[in-house]
Amino acid sequence: MITVIDAMCGAGKSTKMFEMMREGNKSGVSKYLYITPFLSEIDERVPQELPELNFKSPVNTGNGKMVSLASLIEKGENVASTHALFSMLTKEIVDKLIEQKYTLVIDEAINCVGLLGKEFKVSDTKALLKSGMVIVDQESRGKLIWNEEDYPNHDGRYSTIRSMCRMEMLYCYVDSFVMFEYPPKLLRELENVYVLAYLFSGSDMRCWLDVNKIPYQFADNEAIGLRSEAELKAIVKENLIFLSNRNLDATSQRRTTLSHGWYDNAKAEEIKKYQAMLRSCVVSEKAKAGEIFWTTYKDCEKKMAGDGYRKGVSKDLPAFLPCNIRATNMYRNYSLCMYTINLFKNPVEVNYLASQGVKVDEDTFALSEAIQFIFRGCIRKGEPMRLLVLSKRVKKLLEDWVNEV
């Protein structure tokens, strides 16, 4: 059974999970696979918190980390690894995890479903279908099967597609798009799976569970001793300072203003207007490098960067962070955040999930992503932090969230 521990940053999710793992180890009934986006968790926190469990991590000794991971699982070791490696588990490793009755702990909901990478075009989909390199299994929701009879041992342009087909990860949508889905067998068949998350209803993982009709339950946060959301929000409300801007207040916005599509189509003067608001914020707040972190879409960084916030204190600590950043706590002392995006799910992904009978919660998704980014800064420590949000939609979502008990 999958248990979701859905609670804010600071509620004590990880601490409680470590306590449960410690107790499971004492009873001798559990082996653990702990999955996290944070390398610091793997290298430092897990060994420090759980020395008695003797966690091991996959290492690349020349054959790749997957070979190392397979060896550790075969030996029945407790293993800590990353989301990235988890997304590529082989069938053999999945079967061994189930056979050995591992308990799976996932820190932060994983991306389980979506459109295959931007480098894979509609023309590639059509070429694969026309050539017969892949076969669409209509009885399995359009799952793609590699044509091993006609294209055995293919190691050319579509070798990655072949590998993903063999892992049963790819699906065809309206004969134009290739969608990836994490194979459901592991989470469906393991007896104990824990997911540590916040606003889980807005995540890809929730959608994927619903698509595959995999049941899950929410932990009773009060019963397991987590700090209450009301207590944590009171701290955020006291310390998160929403900044205003006269020009922003006077600017009319549509629901999709500052979405990725908006940036793609906006005139240069429109983008410069919003860029000027960032510069004005930095000047009026008298902020300097080492205090400022900000984001926009990666391909819009140069358009929105400006004097005073273009660079950070070093190459290792740039002021700009990707909007989907997870695996860093390096900005926990930064006190000015500028959030310039208005996130929506890719429409193809939304329509694909709708075709499977699953509705995407767009507002909860946008709110969750904004909170994740903002909590890279010092607000995660309960310290005063200034926040400029350019999207009126996102700002309202955040303000409503802060004020909601």
Side-chain angles (χ1 to χ4, degrees):
M1 183 58 164
I2 298 172
T3 300
V4 179
I5 303 178
D6 192 321
M8 279 179 62
C9 175
K13 297 188 294 288
S14 296
T15 299
K16 174 54 62 175
M17 194 68 241
F18 290 153
E19 288 178 11
M20 294 166 64
M21 293 162 73
R22 209 173 282 118
E23 289 302 314
N25 182 63
K26 287 178 182 177
S27 64
V29 296
S30 293
K31 304 181 188 74
Y32 292 99
L33 175 59
Y34 181 83
I35 301 299
T36 176
F38 297 98
L39 287 173
S40 60
E41 291 271 316
I42 296 170
D43 297 337
E44 299 169 17
R45 190 176 181 190
V46 171
Q48 290 172 4
E49 295 274 358
L50 300 167
E52 65 271 40
L53 272 71
N54 194 27
F55 267 88
K56 304 290 179 61
S57 300
V59 293
N60 186 356
T61 57
N63 296 315
K65 288 188 177 182
M66 196 63 71
V67 172
S68 174
L69 176 61
S71 175
L72 292 172
I73 299 300
E74 178 71 34
K75 295 173 184 175
E77 301 280 5
N78 291 319
V79 178
S81 189
T82 62
H83 282 195
L85 198 62
F86 182 76
S87 69
M88 300 183 289
L89 293 186
T90 64
K91 284 185 175 182
E92 292 75 19
I93 292 176
V94 167
D95 290 341
K96 186 59 67 173
L97 287 165
I98 295 169
E99 176 190 323
Q100 298 215 43
K101 298 184 178 179
Y102 268 77
T103 292
L104 173 62
V105 180
I106 301 174
D107 183 14
E108 303 279 0
I110 54 177
N111 295 327
C112 294
V113 58
L115 186 64
L116 205 60
K118 292 181 179 179
E119 67 280 359
F120 193 84
K121 309 295 184 183
V122 170
S123 58
D124 288 308
T125 305
K126 294 185 179 296
L128 283 170
L129 294 172
K130 186 174 181 179
S131 67
M133 296 178 84
V134 294
I135 300 163
V136 180
D137 183 357
Q138 300 292 358
E139 300 298 315
S140 298
R141 298 194 292 109
K143 184 185 293 182
L144 290 180
I145 300 170
W146 187 263
N147 184 351
E148 293 287 354
E149 183 176 346
D150 294 337
Y151 298 94
N153 304 316
H154 174 78
D155 59 359
R157 177 177 179 180
Y158 297 120
S159 58
T160 300
I161 298 298
R162 177 174 178 255
S163 297
M164 295 179 79
C165 284
R166 288 163 64 87
M167 294 167 68
E168 300 183 18
M169 294 181 71
L170 299 183
Y171 294 77
C172 185
Y173 176 53
V174 295
D175 295 333
S176 297
F177 303 101
V178 173
M179 315 299 295
F180 75 88
E181 289 189 28
Y182 190 80
K185 182 177 181 179
L186 182 64
L187 275 77
R188 180 174 279 142
E189 297 190 21
L190 282 179
E191 292 182 13
N192 294 299
V193 177
Y194 295 91
V195 180
L196 315 183
Y198 184 51
L199 297 176
F200 185 72
S201 64
S203 70
D204 289 345
M205 190 173 188
R206 188 274 301 173
C207 294
W208 172 81
L209 290 172
D210 290 348
V211 165
N212 287 281
K213 297 178 172 56
I214 301 174
Y216 54 95
Q217 63 185 5
F218 289 94
D220 183 330
N221 292 353
E222 183 178 356
I224 63 176
L226 300 188
R227 295 175 71 185
S228 73
E229 183 152 327
E231 175 190 355
L232 293 168
K233 277 191 180 176
I235 296 171
V236 173
K237 188 173 183 178
E238 181 180 351
N239 289 285
L240 188 61
I241 304 159
F242 286 92
L243 300 176
S244 59
N245 178 285
R246 188 184 309 163
N247 291 333
L248 178 59
D249 293 342
T251 300
S252 176
Q253 292 186 355
R254 297 187 178 188
R255 177 173 166 81
T256 56
T257 299
L258 298 169
S259 66
H260 201 288
W262 180 91
Y263 273 101
D264 286 343
N265 297 308
K267 295 179 180 178
E269 56 265 29
E270 273 290 294
I271 292 177
K272 285 183 179 179
K273 178 177 71 174
Y274 283 102
Q275 182 196 42
M277 295 176 192
L278 300 184
R279 173 60 181 159
S280 174
C281 175
V282 171
V283 172
S284 63
E285 293 299 315
K286 299 178 181 178
K288 56 183 183 296
E291 298 176 353
I292 308 161
F293 68 110
W294 70 285
T295 196
T296 187
Y297 305 101
K298 184 62 178 174
D299 54 356
C300 301
E301 178 187 355
K302 290 183 179 179
K303 296 179 185 177
M304 291 295 285
D307 293 341
Y309 61 95
R310 190 186 309 274
K311 296 179 181 180
V313 295
S314 68
K315 287 186 177 180
D316 294 332
L317 282 173
F320 174 82
L321 289 175
C323 58
N324 61 349
I325 189 75
R326 289 289 189 277
T328 182
N329 289 321
M330 298 295 290
Y331 293 79
R332 61 188 178 276
N333 295 319
Y334 283 52
S335 59
L336 174 61
C337 175
M338 300 190 298
Y339 195 79
T340 76
I341 61 175
N342 181 15
L343 271 182
F344 291 89
K345 290 288 293 179
N346 185 304
V348 174
E349 296 174 358
V350 172
N351 293 333
Y352 172 71
L353 289 165
S355 75
Q356 306 300 321
V358 174
K359 181 176 174 57
V360 173
D361 187 340
E362 291 267 30
D363 282 352
T364 303
F365 166 72
L367 174 63
S368 174
E369 292 295 306
I371 291 170
Q372 281 281 1
F373 185 83
I374 291 164
F375 268 73
R376 297 309 99 204
C378 68
I379 192 66
R380 71 182 294 110
K381 301 191 296 179
E383 296 178 358
M385 191 178 88
R386 298 155 292 171
L387 173 64
L388 177 67
V389 182
L390 295 188
S391 163
K392 294 183 179 181
R393 168 186 174 242
V394 175
K395 184 178 182 181
K396 185 176 189 309
L397 288 172
L398 286 164
E399 289 177 330
D400 289 349
W401 169 77
V402 168
N403 291 312
E404 180 185 60
V405 177

